[in-house]
């Protein structure tokens, strides 16, 4: 999971594409569904989930 969807992944989304990302804090996230249509990206919220944290530049700091 990540605090927010990584911008490079959203920028890479092609028209008609879909990206599922668990967003939130380290304990609980909500599955977000991003869809690209006609040059616009829309987001809708899915179910609460819990994922392993994404560590690095587009996620959480490695030090905790």
């Amino acid at each position: 999971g990540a605090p927010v969807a990584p911008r490079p992944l959203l920028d890479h989304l092609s028209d008609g594409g879909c990206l599922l990302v668990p967003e939130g804090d380290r304990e609980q996230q909500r599955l977000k569904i991003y869809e690209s249509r006609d040059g616009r990206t829309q987001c809708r919220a899915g179910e609460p989930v819990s994922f392993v944290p994404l560590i690095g530049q587009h996620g959480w700091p490695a030090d905790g």
Side-chain angles (χ1 to χ4, degrees):
V4 295
R7 174 54 47 194
L9 293 179
L10 292 172
D11 290 345
H12 191 67
L13 200 55
S14 61
D15 195 51
C18 180
L19 175 67
L20 303 176
V21 179
E23 291 183 1
D25 61 34
R26 285 182 177 248
E27 288 77 40
Q28 185 172 349
Q29 302 90 39
R30 182 168 291 275
L31 196 59
K32 298 286 183 86
I33 302 104
Y34 290 88
E35 294 180 275
S36 178
R37 300 264 185 244
D38 301 320
R40 295 178 45 206
T41 301
Q42 296 181 343
C43 177
R44 58 189 166 98
E47 298 297 316
V49 294
S50 196
F51 276 70
V52 174
L54 173 66
I55 304 296
Q57 179 182 355
H58 300 287
W60 300 100
D63 59 7

